[in-house]
Amino acid sequence: MQYKRILLKLSGEALMGERQYGIDPKRLAEYAKEIKQVVEKGIEVAIVIGGGNIFRGVAGAANGMDRVQGDHMGMLATCINGLALQSALEDQGVYTRLQTALEIKEVAEPYIKRKAIRHLEKGRVVIFGAGTGNPYFTTDTAAVLRAIEVDADAILKGTRVDGIYNVDPEKDKAAIKFETITFKDVIEKGLKVMDMTAFTLSEENKLPIIVFDMNTSGNLLKLVSGEKIGTIVDN
Ligand code: GTP
């Protein structure tokens, strides 16, 4: 196995599947199966999930809502997704713990780094909810932060695109995919991988980012097994 401990970042929107809003149970179950496959190989899996399928703070602010208020709603949305993912994983017989950056302790454990690491060592999937617990930060930043804190080998950003391209592959058929790219080149070429806060945090802490297509069955397992899936951003 290429990686021992991974931080998987999933977007909230991905949970919508074919829907326009909310959570598609079919997609959720598919993701749980993909995750189970890697857990069965002995990979330690931590997960950060976005909340955009329910509420995005930035979108709220664009419509005149106070940004902090909107971000708090977004953080709660990630907790809803975390609970849904926890349920789906448990349906597959995968042990999980949900830890949240905002205390809602009747619902989930509060985030405690040492406890999170112990859970991972015991083979439990740890889902981190409520982002970083602060407004103005994205769940990508939360993902990088938690990955560094729990000492993950890499952050695996599951998207619907199979890697990083020189131009948007959904708009330009001639787009070329990078197999590997440096942090510096991503910035110089003006490519969008994560927001800058998340991206520079990853670079400074030498945490590789792998962007891959999470919607193709088997990709996650292939990736952790060392197959060339997606694009690796590294120093
Ligand atoms: P170890 O015993 O250390 O291996 O971990 P554990 O998570 O099994 O132990 P613990 O006794 O801390 O937790 C037992 C159960 O209670 C688990 O399902 C936890 O997720 C849950 N739990 C622990 N702390 C909290 C909390 O603050 N809030 C909620 N809602 N659940 C919690």
Side-chain angles (χ1 to χ4, degrees), residues 137-156:
F137 289 93
T138 62
T139 48
D140 274 351
T141 301
V144 175
L145 177 65
R146 294 295 183 242
I148 298 163
E149 286 185 280
V150 303
D151 200 21
D153 301 320
I155 175 157
L156 276 49

Side-chain angles (χ1 to χ4, degrees), residues 96-98 104-110 115 119 122 124:
T96 67
R97 294 290 184 267
L98 173 63
I104 38 171
K105 64 179 188 306
E106 288 76 8
V107 176
E109 293 178 28
K115 208 159 161 61
H119 289 323
K122 289 179 179 175
R124 298 165 182 154

Side-chain angles (χ1 to χ4, degrees), residues 74-85:
M75 285 183 235
L76 294 175
T78 70
C79 296
I80 293 174
N81 285 337
L83 286 166
L85 188 59

Side-chain angles (χ1 to χ4, degrees), residues 6-16 27-35 45-53 56 77-78 81-82 84-86 88-89 125-128 138-140 142-144 155-160 194 210 212-215 220:
I6 58 165
L7 185 305
L8 177 64
K9 166 72 205 315
L10 298 173
S11 81
E13 283 89 347
L15 291 189
M16 292 192 294
R27 169 57 59 78
L28 197 59
E30 284 164 5
Y31 276 5
K33 272 190 200 133
E34 299 298 309
I35 295 161
V45 182
I47 301 174
V48 168
I49 188 156
N53 54 323
R56 295 173 64 87
T78 70
N81 285 337
L85 188 59
Q86 178 171 44
L89 285 164
V125 171
V126 181
I127 305 165
F128 296 118
T138 62
T139 48
D140 274 351
V144 175
I155 175 157
L156 276 49
K157 185 173 155 101
T159 66
R160 55 186 183 174
M194 286 180 173
I210 301 145
F212 75 106
D213 171 16
M214 179 69 191
N215 296 342
L220 181 62

Side-chain angles (χ1 to χ4, degrees), residues 14-85:
L15 291 189
M16 292 192 294
E18 303 297 311
R19 299 179 177 209
Q20 297 299 311
Y21 174 82
I23 299 169
D24 175 6
K26 194 167 145 267
R27 169 57 59 78
L28 197 59
E30 284 164 5
Y31 276 5
K33 272 190 200 133
E34 299 298 309
I35 295 161
K36 182 183 183 172
Q37 287 178 359
V38 299
V39 172
E40 283 176 341
K41 294 285 178 196
I43 310 294
E44 296 175 13
V45 182
I47 301 174
V48 168
I49 188 156
N53 54 323
I54 298 169
F55 195 83
R56 295 173 64 87
V58 178
N63 291 322
M65 180 184 274
D66 177 71
R67 172 70 192 265
V68 175
Q69 193 84 346
D71 280 345
H72 283 154
M73 291 170 71
M75 285 183 235
L76 294 175
T78 70
C79 296
I80 293 174
N81 285 337
L83 286 166
L85 188 59

Side-chain angles (χ1 to χ4, degrees), residues 182-213:
T182 61
F183 284 97
K184 196 163 153 269
D185 278 351
V186 167
I187 293 169
E188 274 177 12
K189 292 180 199 297
L191 303 172
K192 234 189 136 294
V193 177
M194 286 180 173
D195 64 275
M196 284 311 280
T197 310
F199 194 77
T200 51
L201 189 61
S202 205
E203 180 182 22
E204 280 169 13
N205 290 280
K206 300 187 172 44
L207 176 76
I209 303 169
I210 301 145
V211 178
F212 75 106
D213 171 16

